[in-house]
Amino acid sequence: MSSDPAVPDWAARELPATWPDDLSLSRFREIWRILWRALRKTQGSVTLPRALPGADRIPRYALQEFHGLPNGNYSRRITHGYSTGFDRLMLGVMKDRRDALARELKGCRAVLDLGCGAGHGTGALIEGGISEVWGLDLSPYMLQHAARTYPAARFVQGAAEDTAFQDARFDGLCASFLFHELPPRISAAALRECHRILRPGGRLAIVEPGREHWQTSGRRLFQRYGWHGPYFRALATRTYEPFLASFHALDFGSLLEQSGFVEIRTREEFPTALWTAVRGT
């Protein structure tokens, strides 16, 4: 549609290097610099190159070294490693969950994957038979990985709380591991934006980290799930996630209702939680 945001050719676009890209991994001192940034308890801020597309529109809350990644989601080298390594860290769980999101949106004509990252959720939508699939993310580096891997989708840069799409543009929306990386006020704004760009009766499907391994002891989790239990607890509690505690303090179902959604359903499936909802009138 003519009023949609422009879709750059991310696959071919030359993106500027950031400091992790300029390091020589053959030198111990520079390897140690990356490891020290990744393992320290307090994380630094992201440094953006001036030539980065859309740098002036990236909100401050996103400019942190989430997950202990040196320079966060803003590096060719680091995002490549993260885009291939995240599913391994999650022990293969995420493919099943992304497929579940796609099943919830089956029959939709046009779907937007919010916070698409490297596009694996977007790819699940394509495999699910949805004819018009979009992905949106703040990081041009992530969008480049996504565009190169899933050329059938259209990828645009933007924030979940300010997508730049027109009202009632989509039949379905999904988000995978996005909302726990947003401050609560931004989560509320993003859900209002979801309501705005969904058509009445459109469907929303969201998967996030579950609460069980956040608030349950490692011993009890081991009794329930074997070594997977304390493993996922360690991921949740020892990986830098600045807004995870405030996310788990939210009543997310109530937040969906306050944002105008109905038919809200929640399904806990360790170690994740899935919410589905329908846009009301």
Side-chain angles (χ1 to χ4, degrees), residues 215-236:
Q215 61 186 18
T216 307
S217 70
R219 180 179 179 181
R220 184 162 295 182
L221 289 169
F222 180 78
Q223 292 171 344
R224 294 176 185 172
Y225 304 106
W227 68 270
H228 283 195
Y231 172 81
F232 282 113
R233 176 172 172 78
L235 279 186

Side-chain angles (χ1 to χ4, degrees), residues 2-6 57 112 114 136 156-167 169-170 193 196-197:
S2 60
S3 56
D4 288 332
R57 300 192 301 273
L112 173 64
L114 294 158
L136 176 140
V156 293
Q157 186 180 15
E161 68 274 19
D162 184 18
T163 66
F165 285 99
Q166 65 180 4
D167 293 356
R169 172 64 177 85
F170 292 100
E193 179 74 349
R196 184 186 70 79
I197 64 175

Side-chain angles (χ1 to χ4, degrees), residues 173 175 179 187-188 190-192 194-195 198 203-208 247 250-267 273-280:
L173 301 173
F179 282 88
S187 288
L191 288 178
R192 291 193 297 270
C194 288
H195 185 274
L198 266 178
R203 285 175 274 164
L204 172 66
I206 296 169
V207 67
E208 293 292 339
F247 170 77
L250 289 173
D251 183 338
F252 201 70
S254 294
L255 195 59
L256 283 162
E257 186 177 6
Q258 293 164 17
S259 304
F261 288 92
V262 297
E263 300 181 33
I264 299 163
R265 293 182 292 130
T266 307
R267 184 170 77 244
L274 173 69
W275 287 267
T276 58
V278 173
R279 182 200 150 161

Side-chain angles (χ1 to χ4, degrees), residues 18-20 37 45-49 64-65 69-75 78:
T18 57
W19 68 264
R37 295 283 288 242
S45 299
V46 166
T47 302
L48 296 179
Q64 302 187 59
E65 292 181 332
L69 297 177
N71 219 47
N73 290 331
Y74 299 91
S75 154
I78 300 300

